[in-house]
C-alpha cells in the first residue's frame, strides 16, 4: 500500500519500525503514525462500535473525530491517526468501553503540572496560526504556538497544488512548500526564545485567569505519557481549523469511507495509498484537487459525483480531471455503500431539480474507497468554552464566533483566524492570521501603527473579489451585522 513513485513528492526508504497489532508482529516506518502504519500493512479496521460491534476505520485523519481510537500499550482511547509509531508498541482493537483497571494505570503516566506565562497563545499551527504567530512575534510579543500534530503546517503539509492569488499570498507555490517556508521563518524567533512551539499537544480547557490574563490547560503527549501545562496569556488567537462534514447514507461508517483530508494525509504525508479505486463525492475545489492527487498517487478515480447542478470548484481543476478521463457527474449523489468489513461498492443515484433521487436511475460502482469532500465545519469548541458569542451562518460553514475586522471576538483579547472563523481558502487564512497576530500585538501595545492592518484588510478584499469570494463576503458581512447588534 506504500506509494512507490510520485510526480511531485519523494518518499525515500526509511528505517523499519516493528510493532504488534493484536499480538501479531508488523512493521511500519519511521515517521508513521500508528494508523498510517496499519493502513500500509493493509489493516483498515481500527476499532469496533460499542453496541453493534460494527467495524470502524479512520475518518478525519487529523485527530478531530473518534473513529481511530485504539488501545496502545494498555492505554485506551489513543487517537492513532495522530499518535506516532514507536518501536515494539502493542496496539489493540477496542470494541468495549475501557474497564476500571485501564483507568487505574493512567495517573502514573501523568507528570506534575508546569506553568507557562506568555504574551500571546496561538492555538493551531496551520496557515492561519503560523501567520498569526509570525506577525505577533515580529512586533516583540512572546508567543506560545500549540498544535495537536507532530509537525507544523496544518492542512498545508498535504497540499501539493500551487496556490492562486498574488505574491503576498505566495501564489505559484505549492502548499507543502508554503508550510516549509512559514515554519523556517519561525526558526530565528525560536532560537531567540521569543516563540515556543509545543507539538503533539491539545488545549483541553479554558479557566478563569487573574489580572487580565486568560488561562488555558494544555496536555502535551510525550511518547504515551502526558505533561499538563497551565498557560497564562495576555491574548489568545484561536486558529483551530475545521472538521470534515459527513453525508448520511447506509454504510457510511464502514472502513474505506474517508474524509478528503484523511485521504490527502495518508497519501501526501505518509505515502500510503488509501485504496485502489475511489468514488469521490463532491466537486468543490477540495474534491477536484484531491481527485487529481489520487491519480498522481497511482489510484483510480472511478468518477466524481456532485449533488448540485454545477461544479463548485475552479473549472481549471475540473478540466485537468476530465483530460485524465475522470467523469464528473453533477446532480448525482451517493445512496448507499456495500461491504461487510470494508467498502466493496457503492450505489449512486441521479437527482431531480428538487434534489430528490430519480427512480430507476441507480447505478452500482465497484470501489474500495469513498472519499467525502462535502464541506467543512469550523472548529469552535474552545471558543464555546471561553464564552464568545457565536451564531450559525450557513455561508461560513456553521457556528462561528462573532468577530470584528481586527479578528477580535466578543471576549477582549481573544482572536480567531482561518477556518475556525468561517470556511475559506488557505490564502485568506494566512492573511486573517496576520491580522489577528497584528491586532494582538497592537492591543498589547507592541505597536501603534494601525496602517498595517489596513494593508492586510485590502489584501483580504482582493482575495474575496469575484464570484468564488461571494460566500465568504456574505458570511463576513453577516458576522459584522450580528456583532453590531450584540454590542
Ligand atoms: S480522530 Fe483519528 S480519524 Fe478522526
Amino acid at each position: 500500500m506504500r506509494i512507490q513513485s510520485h510526480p511531485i513528492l519523494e518518499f525515500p526508504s526509511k528505517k523499519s519500525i516493528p510493532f504488534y497489532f493484536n499480538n501479531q508482529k508488523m512493521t511500519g516506518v519511521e515517521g508513521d503514525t500508528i494508523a498510517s502504519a496499519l493502513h500500509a500493512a493493509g489493516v483498515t479496521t481500527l476499532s469496533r462500535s460499542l453496541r453493534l460491534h460494527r467495524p470502524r476505520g479512520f475518518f478525519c485523519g487529523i485527530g478531530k473525530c473518534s473513529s481511530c481510537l485504539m488501545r496502545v500499550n494498555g492505554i485506551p482511547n489513543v487517537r492513532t491517526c495522530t499518535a506516532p509509531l514507536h518501536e515494539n508498541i502493542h496496539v489493540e482493537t477496542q470494541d468495549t468501553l475501557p474497564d476500571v483497571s485501564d483507568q487505574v494505570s493512567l495517573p502514573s503516566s501523568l507528570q506534575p503540572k508546569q506553568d507557562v506565562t506568555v504574551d500571546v497563545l496561538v492555538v493551531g499551527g496551520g496557515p492561519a496560526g503560523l501567520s498569526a504567530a509570525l506577525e505577533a512575534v515580529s512586533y516583540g510579543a512572546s508567543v506560545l504556538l500549540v498544535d495537536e500534530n507532530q509537525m507544523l503546517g496544518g492542512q498545508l503539509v498535504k497540499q501539493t497544488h500551487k496556490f492562486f492569488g498574488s505574491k503576498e499570498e505566495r501564489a505559484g507555490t505549492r502548499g507543502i512548500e508554503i508550510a516549509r517556508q512559514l515554519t523556517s521563518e519561525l526558526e530565528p524567533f525560536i532560537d531567540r526564545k521569543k516563540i515556543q512551539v509545543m507539538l503533539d499537544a491539545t488545549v483541553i480547557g479554558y479557566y478563569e485567569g487573574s489580572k487580565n490574563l486568560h488561562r488555558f490547560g494544555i496536555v502535551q503527549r510525550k511518547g504515551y505519557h502526558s505533561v499538563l501545562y497551565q498557560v497564562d496569556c495576555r491574548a489568545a488567537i484561536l486558529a483551530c481549523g475545521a472538521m470534515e462534514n459527513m453525508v448520511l447514507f447506509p454504510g457510511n461508517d464502514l472502513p474505506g469511507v474517508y474524509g478528503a483530508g484523511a485521504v490527502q494525509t495518508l497519501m501526501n504525508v505518509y505515502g500510503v495509498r488509501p485504496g485502489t479505486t475511489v468514488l469521490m463525492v463532491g466537486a468543490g475545489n477540495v474534491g477536484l484537487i484531491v481527485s487529481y492527487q489520487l491519480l498522481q498517487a497511482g489510484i483510480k478515480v472511478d468518477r466524481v459525483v456532485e449533488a448540485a447542478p454545477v461544479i463548485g470548484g475552479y473549472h481549471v481543476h475540473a478540466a485537468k480531471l476530465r483530460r485524465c478521463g475522470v467523469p464528473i457527474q453533477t446532480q448525482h449523489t451517493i445512496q448507499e455503500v456495500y461491504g461487510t468489513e470494508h467498502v466493496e461498492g457503492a450505489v449512486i443515484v441521479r437527482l431531480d431539480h428538487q434534489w430528490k433521487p430519480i427512480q430507476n436511475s441507480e447505478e452500482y460502482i465497484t470501489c474500495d474507497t469513498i472519499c467525502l469532500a462535502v464541506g467543512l465545519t469550523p472548529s469552535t469548541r474552545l471558543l464555546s468554552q471561553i464564552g464568545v458569542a457565536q451564531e450559525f451562518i450557513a455561508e461560513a460553514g456553521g457556528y462561528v464566533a462573532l468577530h470584528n475586522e481586527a479578528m477580535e471576538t466578543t471576549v477582549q483579547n481573544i482572536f480567531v483566524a482561518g477556518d475556525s472563523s468561517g470556511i475559506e481558502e488557505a490564502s485568506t487564512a494566512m492573511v486573517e492570521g496576520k491580522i489577528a497576530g497584528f491586532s494582538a500585538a497592537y492591543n498589547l501595545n507592541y505597536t501603534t501603527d494601525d496602517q498595517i492592518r489596513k494593508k492586510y484588510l485590502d489584501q483580504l478584499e482582493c482575495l474575496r473579489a469575484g464570484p468564488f469570494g461571494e460566500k465568504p463576503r456574505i458570511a463576513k458581512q453577516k458576522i459584522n451585522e450580528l456583532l453590531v447588534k450584540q454590542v
Side-chain angles (χ1 to χ4, degrees):
M1 298 283 273
R2 299 262 177 203
I3 297 170
Q4 300 305 333
S5 65
H6 194 284
I8 294 164
L9 301 169
E10 282 177 23
F11 298 108
S13 60
K14 293 181 182 162
K15 184 183 161 205
S16 292
I17 307 282
F19 69 105
Y20 295 89
F21 168 62
N22 290 344
N23 290 325
Q24 191 189 336
K25 192 159 187 175
M26 290 195 170
T27 315
V29 297
E30 203 164 40
D32 263 336
T33 59
I34 294 170
S36 71
L38 286 170
H39 273 73
V43 177
T44 53
T45 298
L46 307 180
S47 62
R48 296 206 165 251
S49 65
L50 295 180
R51 199 156 55 86
L52 300 176
H53 304 285
R54 286 174 59 80
R56 291 276 186 270
F58 95 169
F59 177 71
C60 73
I62 52 169
K64 299 223 177 198
C65 70
S66 55
S67 67
C68 65
L69 300 183
M70 301 181 85
R71 189 188 312 271
V72 180
N73 284 351
I75 299 173
N77 296 342
V78 174
R79 280 202 167 91
T80 54
C81 68
T82 54
L85 183 72
H86 292 297
E87 216 160 308
N88 293 325
I89 54 168
H90 283 259
V91 181
E92 294 166 274
T93 308
Q94 285 184 177
D95 66 354
T96 57
L97 284 172
D99 61 27
V100 174
S101 60
D102 292 327
Q103 302 298 343
V104 167
S105 67
L106 281 180
S108 63
S109 69
L110 282 173
Q111 293 175 7
K113 173 171 75 68
Q114 297 183 24
D115 295 344
V116 177
T117 303
V118 72
D119 285 326
V120 182
L121 168 69
V122 179
V123 184
L130 282 168
S131 304
L134 280 165
E135 190 73 15
V137 78
S138 71
Y139 295 100
S142 61
V143 173
L144 171 63
L145 174 60
V146 178
D147 193 271
E148 283 187 320
N149 294 289
Q150 311 288 321
M151 64 186 98
L152 291 170
Q155 305 313 299
L156 291 173
V157 300
K158 53 184 98 161
Q159 293 179 356
T160 54
H161 63 284
K162 292 181 179 170
F163 276 44
F164 297 152
S166 65
K167 204 167 119 252
E168 285 81 13
E169 292 89 42
R170 304 173 199 244
T173 310
R174 298 184 196 283
I176 42 173
E177 185 49 35
I178 295 176
R180 275 187 217 121
Q181 289 174 1
L182 290 171
T183 306
S184 67
E185 285 168 29
L186 285 181
E187 274 158 20
F189 297 107
I190 295 172
D191 292 345
R192 300 210 303 265
K193 304 209 176 336
K194 289 300 289 181
I195 287 189
Q196 191 186 338
V197 175
M198 208 184 267
L199 294 175
D200 205 5
T202 304
V203 179
I204 55 163
Y206 176 77
Y207 306 92
E208 202 168 316
S210 57
K211 274 201 280 170
N212 301 329
L213 291 178
H214 294 286
R215 177 167 291 171
F216 293 85
I218 298 176
V219 168
Q220 186 178 33
R221 292 164 289 279
K222 301 215 164 151
Y224 300 105
H225 296 270
S226 304
V227 182
L228 176 64
Y229 292 90
Q230 174 180 291
V231 176
D232 286 325
C233 58
R234 298 168 67 201
I237 300 170
L238 273 60
C240 309
M243 294 171 293
E244 298 268 4
N245 289 345
M246 175 47 96
V247 188
L248 291 180
F249 54 83
N252 68 357
D253 61 341
L254 271 177
V257 178
Y258 302 115
V263 163
Q264 274 188 312
T265 305
L266 267 182
M267 288 189 303
N268 298 347
V269 178
Y270 300 107
V272 176
R273 288 197 178 92
T276 57
T277 307
V278 176
L279 168 65
M280 177 65 68
V281 182
N285 274 329
V286 173
L288 299 175
I289 289 169
V290 175
S291 294
Y292 191 69
Q293 291 176 356
L294 282 158
L295 298 177
Q296 288 178 318
I299 299 158
K300 181 182 171 191
V301 180
D302 185 274
R303 69 192 70 190
V304 180
V305 290
E306 166 60 57
V310 290
I311 290 169
Y314 294 135
H315 284 265
V316 59
H317 297 314
K320 261 163 93 175
L321 270 187
R322 286 198 174 113
R323 280 200 297 276
C324 296
V326 178
I328 304 173
Q329 295 177 309
T330 53
Q331 288 193 289
H332 281 73
T333 192
I334 187 164
Q335 190 175 57
E336 189 161 4
V337 162
Y338 290 104
T340 46
E341 286 294 301
H342 192 98
V343 172
E344 291 166 23
V347 174
I348 60 162
V349 67
R350 198 145 60 85
L351 301 174
D352 65 17
H353 289 288
Q354 277 144 2
W355 303 69
K356 296 218 173 75
I358 297 173
Q359 263 194 356
N360 301 323
S361 67
E362 296 88 356
E363 189 181 345
Y364 183 86
I365 295 169
T366 304
C367 57
D368 59 4
T369 307
I370 311 291
C371 184
L372 300 180
V374 289
L376 301 165
T377 298
S379 284
T380 58
R381 284 171 293 195
L382 192 54
L383 288 157
S384 304
Q385 206 197 13
I386 295 170
V388 306
Q390 293 185 55
E391 292 287 346
F392 184 88
I393 295 171
E395 293 85 353
Y399 277 92
V400 281
L402 301 185
H403 57 271
N404 59 19
E405 65 175 19
M407 305 307 295
E408 190 173 17
T409 66
T410 51
V411 175
Q412 195 181 13
N413 287 333
I414 297 288
F415 299 84
V416 276
D419 278 350
S420 59
S421 73
I423 304 300
E424 273 190 89
E425 302 277 329
S427 313
T428 41
M430 287 189 277
V431 184
E432 283 192 342
K434 286 183 195 172
I435 294 174
F438 169 82
S439 302
Y442 183 85
N443 283 13
L444 303 185
N445 297 321
Y446 280 103
T447 175
T448 50
D449 180 8
D450 203 13
Q451 285 309 304
I452 308 284
R453 184 156 50 212
K454 167 93 181 55
K455 184 183 101 182
Y456 293 149
L457 287 169
D458 289 345
Q459 280 179 23
L460 269 187
E461 203 176 308
C462 285
L463 283 170
R464 290 180 184 142
F468 282 100
E470 191 185 2
K471 246 171 135 176
R473 280 201 306 271
I474 295 171
K476 295 293 176 181
Q477 192 183 333
K478 286 187 179 175
I479 288 169
N480 196 33
E481 286 165 7
L482 288 162
L483 183 69
V484 170
K485 273 191 202 159
Q486 278 268 338
V487 173

